[in-house]
Amino acid sequence: MSDDPLPPPSPSPEGGRATARTAAVIPAAGRGVRLGPGAPKALRALGGTPMLIHAVRAMAASRAVSLVVVVAPPDGAPEVKSLLDAHALPDRTDFLVVPGGESRQESVKLGLDALPSGYDIVLVHDAARPLVPVDTVDAVIEAVRDGAPAVVPALPLADTVKQVEPADVPGEPEPVTATPDRSLLRAVQTPQGFDRATLVRAHETVKDDVTDDASMVEQLGLTVVTVPGHEEAFKVTRPLDMVLAEAVLARRRLNDGF
């Protein structure tokens, strides 16, 4: 993997979103404190391989994705570059590593800034979602190609949801203020897909602290649409999530024969 800037890809002869090139940005600068002490969350091993490598492979598994930009911890870019060089990755996909910022939002912006021209669709994917199936990735890309400015994979909620008045002291009882209709609610996942110009404008315009990039596009007054997510695209946040992820990976390896 070269440290030199990538040349812009050749433009499509047909033009338009239907043939637009796709790049994925993976912010991987977080510490993952809820998983406990140790390496940053993205570098924790899953089935003997760092979660970040699983996430990179998940994006590169889509033939529509021709570039993956990994946003490393601010002082960890050399380590992440070495990590990618040490693992087998698809030859058809280019990879870049750039230092991240102090927040996820800043890291995504730095990843966007590193994209060469010629990529008109951008995926933003959590490194902590290492097992997203390629069909989900492709569905997000296809929806952007069909004209949506922003697309998120989403799942219906299985649990009843309560809105509460937050307690002054964590752990104290919290009064319920409402019970939203869960049929109207969705749990969103990644990768989230965007028309590149829309996402760039969102990051230049929205300065509030947000939990996902689609929220920024919503603040521009644009419509965000959902496509079906997948139960295996869950976020690895707590130790129990690691146990579930190991089980899913073991089942995949058994079914795939390796």
Side-chain angles (χ1 to χ4, degrees), residues 17-234:
R17 279 203 211 172
T19 55
R21 297 287 293 270
T22 300
V25 174
I26 302 180
R31 294 296 309 177
V33 293
R34 281 177 287 184
L35 277 176
K41 178 164 55 177
L43 303 185
R44 304 287 180 95
L46 174 61
T49 300
M51 279 201 293
L52 174 61
I53 298 300
H54 288 289
V56 169
R57 287 173 175 168
M59 296 299 98
S62 171
R63 292 189 174 276
V65 175
S66 52
L67 171 65
V68 177
V69 178
V70 179
V71 188
D75 57 352
E79 179 183 3
V80 171
K81 287 177 182 176
S82 297
L83 194 67
L84 264 63
D85 287 339
H87 289 81
L89 299 171
D91 291 336
R92 68 173 183 271
T93 309
D94 291 320
F95 301 90
L96 283 177
V97 177
V98 298
E102 294 302 317
S103 68
R104 182 187 186 280
Q105 197 165 336
E106 184 180 352
S107 292
V108 173
K109 176 65 164 57
L110 290 168
L112 274 174
D113 291 344
L115 290 181
S117 60
Y119 292 94
D120 296 320
I121 296 175
V122 180
L123 305 180
V124 180
H125 183 57
D126 294 333
R129 296 184 190 270
L131 301 176
V132 57
V134 67
D135 289 350
T136 302
V137 181
D138 288 340
V140 170
I141 295 170
E142 189 63 30
V144 179
R145 284 180 171 171
D146 286 345
V151 180
V152 297
L155 291 175
L157 298 183
D159 298 322
T160 297
V161 177
K162 299 290 185 183
Q163 183 175 325
V164 301
E165 181 68 35
D168 294 332
V169 179
E172 290 293 312
E174 298 175 324
V176 172
T177 59
T179 302
D181 181 354
R182 73 180 183 189
S183 70
L184 303 177
L185 301 176
R186 299 290 183 270
V188 300
Q189 302 174 324
T190 69
Q192 299 185 353
F194 304 90
D195 168 72
R196 178 180 180 169
T198 297
L199 185 58
V200 168
R201 181 158 67 94
H203 274 271
E204 291 174 344
T205 304
V206 178
K207 302 305 179 184
D208 299 337
D209 188 21
V210 296
T211 56
D212 73 345
D213 296 270
S215 300
M216 303 173 73
V217 174
E218 290 175 47
Q219 292 190 43
L220 296 180
L222 300 176
T223 299
V224 177
V225 302
T226 69
V227 296
H230 196 282
E231 60 183 6
E232 293 181 0
F234 60 89

